[in-house]
Amino acid sequence: MPSRIETVIAQAADRVRSLPAGRQNTVALAAGALSALAFAPLNLFLLMPLGLAVLLWLLDTAQTTRRAAALGWLFGFGQFGVGLYWIAIAFRYQSNMPPALGLPAVLLLVGGFALFIALTAASAHRLWTGRARRALVLALVWVAFEWVRGHVLTGFPWNLAGNAWLPALPVAQAASVVGIYGLSFVMLLTGGAIAVLADRTNGARRLAGFTAVLLLGLTLWGTARLAIDRPPETEKGPLLHIVQAGIGQDEKWNPAAERRHLWAHLDLTAAAIRRYGPGIVIWPETAIQNFIEHEPSTRYLMGRHIEAPGALITGGIRVEYEADGTPIALRNSLFVLTPDGEIQAHYDKAHLVPFGEYMPLRHLLAPLGLDRLAPGDIDFVPGPGVRTLSVPGVPDFGPLICYEVIFPGNVVDKEKRPAWLVNISNDAWFGHSSGPHQHLAIARMRAIEEGLPVVRATPTGISAIIDSQGRLKASLPLGARGVVTGELPARRPVTLYARFGDVPLIFGLFLLSLGLVIVRRTD
């Protein structure tokens, strides 16, 4: 006998399936848009599986693969449109790009990303007709295309479906085992279980029951992990001072404000040290305009504001010159300075932002006038890749500049594992939007995956200290000016994900795919 929940879900499914094609298009777009509200800052995570259930109901009505692809594209356009609208804000601050290009550029980007969902929906429709099995196929193919999106053409694994689990932090702890793509599979499985309950069949109930048991198990395990896996109370890390100077992108590169911006960071640093004592000071990405490698007096001034045994970790730009003084290369870099103003170590950003820090295929696109999409006439040059910096007085750390933190499995030097990750960024590009909140959420997921604390420094927020289980230990909100001070949380033993990456997940999904193929052939 069907339960009350099954009856309600069946009624909702029938209404969606009975809609005319035009109304279905609107529902697909709306379902995708609402599913994006599962991500930060709203964190309405239940909207993700509900939106996915609606997509599956719509796919049930698709008579052709092309129609399924269209429904998937509309869903994806809604999700990416709401999730990535904030990218258009950056066009306000780019002198080489008219602000009017912001909306068309983002719409083009969103339409391209929606193709991944279109291909997912088409594959689910093409490969299976049974509703319960179609839900499994959708989950498998969705995760596969998320992985592709995170790797091809430099990759952009932003707002993966698994990130929506972060408000349910116990469930999110599973990222330490299966990574963010594994969490995405659990999310797709949850959406599929809701969808197939509308069929009120034994197969649908088995899938829903399995999913419910899985979520309960993950919740109990994650809760225990959060409660038990703690360092001894006597173990204390070094003191951190994260400076958030409140300098917006509209004034950041004003030449007349160069000295004022430097002193804004120095004054905040000095005040924090006076109040709490010396520690490791962290400034954001390109914190100041000065090219400190070539300005010993500026480095000396910066060093005077640090007290031993502390150090200063700051973002800046490295410039390489020809013999005649002509600049030939720029590098987005992180520097470590001692109290005497010496540069002890540096790191050059390896994963550059296409069309932002460099122009892909400039020799082909520049004649078309598209060189205006990249700032300046000189592209930034990438560094050699992830590494661990070892500096006296500072625990070994892995530097990550800006969106380098969004790439799962590619944030740590596996040959020399660090004690913590330092993510300096400039989220001021995106104002008071969802972007900085989502960036913080992604950094929290990296902390869970790697079992390492992550420390973020941004000029306008959200700067934070994140422990190795993704919890915020201290933070400054978006738009605030001040200093985040706190102890560096302890790292955890190497997680399974840190040790093996996506290999176990890929193997498990392969076995599931093989099982589905065998079942289909025996039907």
Side-chain angles (χ1 to χ4, degrees):
M1 184 174 180
S3 67
R4 176 62 179 167
I5 294 177
E6 288 178 319
T7 301
V8 171
I9 291 175
Q11 290 173 347
D14 289 341
R15 289 178 183 177
V16 171
R17 292 167 181 160
S18 63
L19 292 172
R23 293 284 299 277
Q24 284 190 349
N25 292 342
T26 303
V27 169
L29 186 66
L34 288 173
S35 72
L37 302 182
F39 301 119
L42 295 182
N43 294 315
L44 304 175
F45 73 97
L46 289 178
L47 289 180
M48 179 63 73
L50 292 175
L52 294 169
V54 172
L55 175 61
L56 276 162
W57 294 334
L58 291 170
L59 292 179
D60 288 339
T61 68
Q63 299 298 314
T64 65
T65 301
R66 179 177 296 182
R67 175 60 180 162
L71 290 168
W73 186 87
L74 287 167
F75 182 93
F77 192 89
Q79 185 179 98
F80 289 117
V82 172
L84 300 178
Y85 76 91
W86 47 267
I87 295 177
I89 298 173
F91 284 69
R92 299 180 190 173
Y93 310 118
Q94 177 47 262
S95 60
N96 287 346
M97 295 183 289
L101 280 179
L103 181 58
V106 171
L107 290 177
L108 183 64
L109 181 70
V110 166
F113 285 148
L115 290 174
F116 288 104
I117 312 300
L119 291 171
T120 299
S123 300
H125 183 273
R126 185 78 174 176
L127 295 175
W128 226 286
T129 55
R131 288 172 180 169
R133 293 173 188 172
R134 180 180 293 168
L136 289 174
V137 172
L138 184 76
L140 287 165
V141 180
W142 185 295
V143 172
F145 276 116
E146 274 198 343
W147 190 92
V148 171
R149 174 161 66 90
H151 290 80
V152 300
L153 299 177
T154 79
F156 190 64
W158 194 282
N159 280 359
L160 303 175
N163 275 109
W165 283 120
L166 193 59
L169 196 57
V171 176
Q173 298 304 304
S176 65
V177 179
V178 294
I180 186 62
Y181 297 112
L183 282 180
S184 288
F185 181 79
V186 174
M187 181 61 76
L188 267 294
L189 193 65
T190 303
I194 294 173
V196 300
L197 270 180
D199 299 338
R200 293 180 281 195
T201 63
N202 290 333
R205 291 172 183 139
R206 283 194 294 268
L207 178 61
F210 170 79
T211 305
V213 171
L214 175 64
L215 290 176
L216 178 61
L218 291 178
T219 300
L220 293 175
W221 175 79
T223 301
R225 186 174 191 266
L226 289 168
I228 298 173
D229 190 13
R230 294 179 178 176
E233 294 184 2
T234 56
E235 182 180 339
K236 292 186 177 181
L239 195 63
L240 306 175
H241 301 300
I242 308 168
V243 175
Q244 184 172 300
I247 300 171
Q249 196 62 31
D250 55 341
E251 58 175 325
K252 181 175 179 64
W253 297 108
N254 180 2
E258 178 179 311
R259 205 67 179 171
R260 176 163 54 87
H261 292 168
L262 173 60
W263 276 102
H265 287 84
L266 293 175
D267 288 344
L268 287 168
T269 299
I273 291 177
R274 281 196 304 270
R275 182 174 181 181
Y276 298 104
I280 302 169
V281 179
I282 306 171
W283 292 1
E285 176 188 14
T286 57
I288 56 177
Q289 296 99 311
N290 310 73
F291 299 138
I292 60 174
E293 274 191 313
H294 307 285
E295 300 180 21
S297 60
T298 302
R299 296 200 308 271
Y300 175 76
L301 180 62
M302 294 165 69
R304 286 288 302 272
H305 284 73
I306 312 165
E307 292 186 17
L312 170 61
I313 300 172
T314 181
I317 294 178
R318 296 181 61 220
V319 187
E320 297 178 8
Y321 297 94
E322 292 275 18
D324 61 0
T326 303
I328 58 172
L330 299 176
R331 297 182 186 271
N332 189 350
S333 302
L334 173 148
F335 301 96
V336 184
L337 272 69
T338 61
D340 60 5
E342 294 300 316
I343 297 176
Q344 285 193 313
H346 74 269
Y347 164 80
D348 298 326
K349 185 178 181 182
H351 213 132
L352 301 176
V353 181
F355 301 104
E357 291 172 310
Y358 74 99
M359 183 68 194
L361 303 174
R362 181 181 285 274
H363 63 291
L364 295 177
L365 299 179
L368 302 177
L370 295 181
D371 57 319
R372 297 184 66 196
L373 293 174
D377 299 320
I378 304 176
D379 286 340
F380 280 85
V381 177
V386 292
R387 58 181 298 196
T388 297
L389 295 184
S390 298
V391 178
V394 179
D396 290 357
F397 70 93
L400 299 166
I401 299 178
C402 193
Y403 91 146
E404 286 184 317
V405 77
I406 76 172
F407 297 94
N410 193 32
V411 296
V412 168
D413 182 353
K414 299 185 185 303
E415 299 299 321
K416 186 180 180 183
R417 184 172 167 82
W420 56 308
L421 299 174
V422 176
N423 177 215
I424 60 172
S425 186
N426 179 16
D427 290 352
W429 279 103
F430 310 112
H432 289 258
S433 69
S434 300
H437 294 274
Q438 294 171 3
H439 205 176
L440 173 67
I442 293 170
R444 292 174 64 188
M445 198 61 75
R446 294 295 87 76
I448 298 171
E449 287 175 341
E450 299 293 340
L452 294 175
V454 177
V455 176
R456 298 195 75 236
T458 71
T460 57
I462 305 166
S463 300
I465 300 173
I466 306 165
D467 76 3
S468 59
Q469 291 158 305
R471 293 173 292 203
L472 288 178
K473 306 304 288 185
S475 65
L476 268 179
L478 191 61
R481 181 179 186 271
V483 179
V484 180
T485 295
E487 294 176 357
L488 174 64
R491 62 178 170 180
R492 297 296 186 269
V494 181
T495 64
L496 287 176
Y497 183 79
R499 191 180 301 276
F500 300 110
D502 294 319
V503 173
L505 174 68
I506 293 172
F507 181 69
L509 296 183
F510 170 77
L511 291 179
L512 178 58
S513 302
L514 185 62
L516 286 172
V517 171
I518 294 173
V519 168
R520 183 177 186 181
R521 289 185 175 180
T522 57
D523 282 348

